Every structure is written in structure tokens, then in C-alpha cells.
Amino acid sequence: MNNLDKRYTDLLQDILDNGTRKMDRTGTGTISVFGRQIRHDMKTGFPLLTTKKLHFKSIVTELLWFLRGDTNIKYLVDNGCNIWNGDAYKNYEKSIIQSHKENGLEGFEYLNKESFIERIEIDNEFAKKWGDLGPIYGKQWRKWECNYTTDGADYNSYNDWNEIDQIANSINLLKTDPDSRRNRVNAWNVGELDQMVLPPCHTDFQFFTRELSMEERLKLCNIDIDMDIDEAIKRDDRDIIKKYLDYTNTPTRAISLMWNQRSVDTFLGLPFNIASYGLLLEIIAKEVNMVPDELIGNLGDTHLYSNHVEQAKEQITRESYSLPTITLPSSLQPNSGNWDKLVFEDFYLNDYQSHPSIKAPLSN
């Protein structure tokens, strides 16, 4: 069994063995443990579980949606990603019912979920009004708002608004100060939580980089080593080898990503979170010319919904396959600056072999 699937199924077993039964906001009920961690060495393959088939397109599409700074499900629906449909519909349903109660409306239009999503697809104005989920991940990652004074006067007399692009700032910091311990991106904006259809489950993430050894860089070098360099390697002439590696733009650093998650739907959500942050690490690493190193998830309330227990037990019994690899878009090169303009069709998943998917209901 590959290490990722093993760690994941061990986590499922841990919850079954040690979890506490709790009620939750959805009314479904959970079995929960608290304070767990999952780690993955990116050199061993792309972190897409093989003990059940995952919908790779949805994982990629949602991440690209975040990176665009988008918060409206129109983009997701148009690209066949249904992850947030339930949250958007629940918000619509709540608003319509509340409006009816307050205004006593007669004969108001009330769409079922299927009709609601169809309307999002074909009616831009409807989508603009009802498809927006509030200031969730994409907005916080790319357009975190703060207000401040420009004249040094009373801080309470706000004169201006400023949008902070956390992702762009993070990329710039990786290029200019790769050892910074302040390279974090936060989605948990306490001033806007009440405007979100769902407060962020994965609240923030942080980057860490380290220098690669010359031996590690040589293994990465993707240009055929000529005779002179081969001789330099035999002589261990490090000055010449370094000049050659620098000339070929071989990465000098490895980059790791650690995310923190307050609430973890372990059966349905966590496999997507692992793959999504793995993909984000791949994209950022390419942009800053580093090598993906380690992916780490710190997990708070780590739970199985009560209607996922049998599915989890089935997955635990399955033997895994080797992890796949991923080919990134050719347009994504070091310093390309197009990391927020990528499309799903340019990503290629190689050699993904998995067991069949296991169906389970989503609790909204």
C-alpha cells in the first residue's frame, strides 16, 4: 500500500476506534477525534487516493476557481464541478423562505435544487444574484480587504480601502525571502465570517523552503549531462558543477506546504483537500522554480458523518495502487505570472489506477 493511502485509511480506523459521537450543525451526527496530522512526500507521487476513485476535474476546477479570486458558483457549474451547489442552494432557499415570511409574498418563484442549478447555467443575472457565496476562499486569498488612514490621523476615520492579494504576495516573498517564517495565506477573516455561506474549513496555509544539496540538484537536472560535466562530477569539481546547474536553471530549493483545517469531513472532503493542496504546491513550486517537497495537513475536528461509517469500513479493506503523477500546463513556467489563468484541460494526470468510487451523501 502506498504511504498516503495507508495514512488515510489508518486515520479512518482511528476515528472508528477512538471517536466521540457528536451532533453537528447539519443534524447528521458525527464520530469525531481532535488534533490529527497527515503528511505526504511529494516525490513519491501526486497525492490522489487510489483506494477509491476521485473526480480529478472537480479538484482542479475548484482550486483554479480559488486562484481566480472567484466566489460565484457559475464558473464551477459551467465546468462541471458541483462541490458548492448545495451551499448555494441552501442560501437561496433560506433567503426565499425568509423573504416570504417577512413580506407575505404570494405566488413567489421557488425552484427546486435541480432547477436552481439549471437557472445558474443559463441566466447570468440570476447567477450573479444567487450564485455568489459571499467572501469565501477566493476572495480572501486574492482580495482581502482592509481599511486604513493615509494621513496618520485618527485610525477610526477610515479614508481608503485596500485589497491585499495574499497569493501574489506569497509568491513574491518566496522569490525575495524564501526563508521567511511569515509566508502564510489566511482565509479566516473574522470580520467577514457572517457574510459567508460557510466559514472556511481549511483556514490557512504556510510555505517552508530549504536549499537543495548539489546531489539533489543533479538528480533534477533535465538536460543531458555532457562529457565535460561528467568529468567534473567524477572529479567532484563543485564550482563547475554549480555553474552548470545554474546555467540550466535547475532549482536550488525545495518547497513544502502545510495547511490547517478546523473541520474535516474525512470521508468526502479530506481526499479532495489533500489533492487540492498538493496541486497548489505543484503550481506555486513551478512559478518560483522550486521542487515540491512535503505536504502536511493539521486537522482539528476530524470526523466521519454517521452516514459515512459503512463506506469508510469498505475503503479500509482495499489495497492501494501506486500513486499517479501530474503534468502541469506547458504555459506554467518559472516567473510566467499566469498561475491564475490556467484551465483544467492543460493538466494531465498520468497512470491513475484506483478502486471504484464509493458513494456517500454530502451534508450541507
Side-chain angles (χ1 to χ4, degrees), residues 24-87:
D24 69 287
R25 65 174 179 84
T26 72
T28 307
T30 65
I31 305 174
S32 302
V33 295
F34 185 66
R36 299 299 191 264
Q37 188 179 80
I38 197 156
R39 306 178 77 101
H40 174 64
D41 182 350
M42 295 292 289
K43 292 189 294 296
T44 65
F46 184 73
L48 196 67
L49 294 180
T50 68
T51 43
K52 67 176 179 184
K53 187 175 181 62
L54 297 177
H55 194 234
F56 180 63
K57 183 177 181 180
S58 290
I59 294 168
V60 177
T61 300
E62 185 194 39
L63 178 63
L64 298 183
W65 182 61
F66 292 159
L67 289 175
R68 288 160 56 97
D70 202 346
T71 60
N72 194 298
I73 66 165
K74 172 69 172 168
Y75 174 86
L76 300 178
V77 171
D78 288 347
N79 287 278
C81 178
N82 300 310
I83 296 173
W84 288 88
N85 288 3
D87 294 289

Side-chain angles (χ1 to χ4, degrees), residues 7 39 41 77 133 144 147 161 197 234 240 262 313 317 341:
R7 288 175 179 135
R39 306 178 77 101
D41 182 350
V77 171
L133 303 175
W144 180 294
N147 39 19
W161 284 92
V197 297
K234 291 178 181 177
I240 292 179
R262 66 169 181 88
K313 289 178 179 178
T317 66
K341 301 177 182 65

Side-chain angles (χ1 to χ4, degrees), residues 73 82-93 113 116-117 133 362 364:
I73 66 165
N82 300 310
I83 296 173
W84 288 88
N85 288 3
D87 294 289
Y89 182 70
K90 186 176 180 181
N91 185 53
Y92 160 82
E93 193 175 39
K113 186 176 178 181
F116 173 80
I117 298 304
L133 303 175
L362 178 64
N364 290 119

Side-chain angles (χ1 to χ4, degrees), residues 56-225:
F56 180 63
K57 183 177 181 180
S58 290
I59 294 168
V60 177
T61 300
E62 185 194 39
L63 178 63
L64 298 183
W65 182 61
F66 292 159
L67 289 175
R68 288 160 56 97
D70 202 346
T71 60
N72 194 298
I73 66 165
K74 172 69 172 168
Y75 174 86
L76 300 178
V77 171
D78 288 347
N79 287 278
C81 178
N82 300 310
I83 296 173
W84 288 88
N85 288 3
D87 294 289
Y89 182 70
K90 186 176 180 181
N91 185 53
Y92 160 82
E93 193 175 39
K94 179 181 177 181
S95 298
I96 290 293
I97 292 173
Q98 184 63 32
S99 179
H100 177 59
K101 287 180 178 178
E102 292 177 355
N103 302 313
L105 300 177
E106 295 296 333
F108 66 92
E109 184 178 28
Y110 182 76
L111 303 174
N112 61 28
K113 186 176 178 181
E114 182 179 355
S115 299
F116 173 80
I117 298 304
E118 289 177 355
R119 187 79 173 270
I120 292 287
E121 286 186 271
I122 63 174
D123 188 334
N124 289 335
E125 287 302 313
F126 182 86
K128 184 177 180 180
K129 179 177 181 179
W130 294 111
D132 193 77
L133 303 175
I136 61 169
Y137 300 99
K139 198 270 187 180
Q140 305 304 335
W141 286 13
R142 302 298 310 279
K143 303 171 187 176
W144 180 294
E145 290 186 6
C146 65
N147 39 19
Y148 62 97
T149 59
T150 58
D151 57 6
D154 181 6
Y155 187 76
N156 291 319
S157 58
Y158 300 120
N159 298 327
D160 204 356
W161 284 92
N162 185 36
E163 287 185 347
I164 299 174
D165 188 337
Q166 294 190 83
I167 300 291
N169 288 352
S170 189
I171 289 172
N172 182 63
L173 194 57
L174 286 167
K175 294 176 180 178
T176 58
D177 187 7
D179 285 324
S180 174
R181 297 188 294 270
R182 301 178 180 182
N183 202 332
R184 300 177 68 94
V185 172
N186 205 332
W188 191 262
N189 187 337
V190 295
E192 296 186 334
L193 292 179
D194 61 348
Q195 302 171 44
M196 305 176 189
V197 297
L198 182 68
C201 292
H202 36 108
T203 58
D204 62 285
F205 59 91
Q206 178 178 359
F207 290 110
F208 173 90
T209 77
R210 64 175 179 85
E211 289 190 2
L212 293 168
S213 68
M214 190 167 291
E215 289 72 23
E216 287 177 306
R217 293 186 71 197
L218 277 170
K219 290 179 181 179
L220 293 170
C221 188
N222 57 6
I223 299 176
D224 290 338
I225 295 178

